[in-house]
């Protein structure tokens, strides 16, 4: 097992495994609608060095779900497989478009995650965050764009977040640095003490991970964000993605810098 976390420019970098996301399970053999199998997948990522798990609980049809029974089933399976590992879930609006209904579902959870992500460009973000905090669940603030950034800056929950997720879309590698640094600069001006987790998806996943290493921010990797290894080959599982990510972190430790040329668009 490789050491969990790494030191980059004087701070410890956390690597989170995002094991499934909203992807249909047919997109990859390691994706499953079965919570027990997902727990095995999460445990393999943790064995490599992932320190947290971000998961999308599923219903019986394999769709993302916030229903109390589904959340409880998935949390129990992952906690059995990964004892002591913090586990977070999505609260994305696609799981329940009506903000009031989303708050009611959170209020009805019987098993609680350690944290949950809230997308601030979505309607009802403040109310969902407040519901999570009432239940004792920490909040990751998802910032995708300028509109989400402005909504978060006005939010009463702004300073109470566990971390800020700076999330880049599927975009060309040469767009990553400017996009990420623009959002980060505003966030650090408002809340300099809150940790930032920087990640991308699709084409931006690996360039953004390398930028996170370079800048000393936390990051995540997994089948939610990319199905491919840095060389473009299909990853066999989440553990392979975590292993490749931690390889970049270890290389940066040895050389003192992240090698952005290691990932091409």
């Amino acid at each position: 097992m490789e050491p969990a976390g790494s030191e980059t420019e004087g701070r410890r970098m956390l690597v989170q495994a995002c094991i499934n996301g909203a992807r249909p399970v047919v997109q990859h053999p390691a994706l499953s609608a079965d919570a027990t199998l997902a727990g095995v997948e999460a445990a393999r990522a943790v064995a490599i060095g992932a320190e947290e798990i971000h998961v999308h609980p599923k219903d019986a049809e394999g769709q993302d779900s916030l229903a109390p029974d589904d959340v409880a089933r998935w949390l129990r399976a992952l906690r059995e497989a990964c004892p002591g590992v913090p586990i977070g879930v999505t609260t994305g609006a696609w799981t329940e478009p009506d903000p009031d209904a989303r708050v009611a579902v959170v209020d009805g959870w019987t098993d609680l995650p350690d944290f949950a992500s809230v997308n601030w460009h979505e309607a009802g973000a403040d109310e969902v965050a407040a519901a999570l905090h009432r239940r004792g669940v920490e909040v990751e603030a998802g910032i995708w764009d300028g509109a989400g950034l402005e909504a978060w800056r006005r939010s009463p929950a702004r300073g109470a977040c566990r971390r800020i997720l700076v999330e880049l879309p599927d975009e060309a590698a040469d767009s990553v640095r400017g996009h990420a640094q623009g959002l980060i600069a505003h966030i650090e001006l408002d809340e300099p003490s809150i940790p930032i987790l920087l990640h991308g998806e699709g084409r931006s996943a690996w360039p953004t991970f390398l930028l996170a290493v370079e800048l000393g921010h936390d990051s995540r990797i997994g089948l939610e964000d990319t199905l491919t290894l840095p060389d473009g080959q299909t990853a066999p599982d989440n553990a392979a993605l975590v292993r490749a990510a931690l390889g970049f972190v270890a290389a940066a430790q040895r050389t003192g810098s992240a090698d952005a040329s290691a990932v091409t668009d």
Side-chain angles (χ1 to χ4, degrees):
M1 174 175 173
E2 298 181 38
S6 302
E7 298 292 334
T8 304
E9 295 186 357
R11 77 177 295 277
R12 182 178 178 82
M13 180 180 179
L14 176 142
V15 175
Q16 185 185 86
C18 51
I19 64 170
N20 57 358
R23 292 183 185 276
V25 297
V26 295
Q27 286 191 3
H28 194 282
L31 295 172
S32 175
D34 184 285
T36 300
L37 293 178
V40 172
E41 186 71 9
R44 290 171 177 160
V46 168
I48 296 299
E51 294 186 77
E52 292 183 353
I53 299 295
H54 171 76
V55 68
H56 290 211
K58 309 290 182 179
D59 62 17
E61 286 72 46
Q63 301 299 312
D64 282 5
S65 173
L66 298 182
D69 288 350
D70 295 325
V71 172
R73 183 174 68 257
W74 278 70
L75 288 177
R76 291 170 188 173
L78 266 66
R79 284 178 170 147
E80 181 176 355
C82 309
V85 176
I87 297 172
V89 302
T90 183
T91 64
W94 61 89
T95 60
E96 175 49 72
D98 179 74
D100 292 337
R102 218 175 323 139
V103 167
V105 171
V106 170
D107 285 338
W109 283 350
T110 57
D111 290 56
L112 298 176
D114 297 286
F115 56 94
S117 57
V118 176
N119 296 320
W120 245 269
H121 63 277
E122 296 174 348
D126 286 348
E127 292 75 16
V128 172
L132 291 166
H133 281 145
R134 285 196 303 271
R135 301 300 311 277
V137 178
E138 293 191 277
V139 171
E140 295 182 312
I143 307 297
W144 284 89
D145 55 22
L149 174 65
E150 288 306 312
W152 169 78
R153 294 175 78 179
R154 297 190 301 268
S155 173
R158 188 184 84 184
C161 295
R162 175 188 181 99
R163 65 171 66 93
I164 311 300
L165 308 181
V166 174
E167 307 186 274
L168 302 191
D170 180 4
E171 61 185 9
D174 58 7
S175 300
V176 164
R177 183 177 295 272
H179 189 172
Q181 289 186 316
L183 292 172
I184 289 169
H186 287 291
I187 291 165
E188 290 183 332
L189 183 64
D190 290 322
E191 296 291 345
S193 65
I194 298 181
I196 290 173
L197 188 154
L198 172 62
H199 78 93
E201 65 176 36
R203 290 172 298 164
S204 72
W206 286 112
T208 304
F209 187 89
L210 273 173
L211 182 61
V213 174
E214 176 188 331
L215 299 179
H217 293 303
D218 299 330
S219 193
R220 77 180 201 187
I221 202 71
L223 294 173
E224 173 172 354
D225 290 343
T226 182
L227 301 180
T228 61
L229 295 165
D231 62 5
Q233 296 188 62
T234 299
D237 54 18
N238 281 286
L241 292 168
V242 172
R243 181 180 291 108
L246 290 178
F248 284 129
V249 178
Q253 285 182 297
R254 291 192 301 270
T255 64
S257 64
D259 182 7
S261 66
V263 176
T264 58
D265 182 22

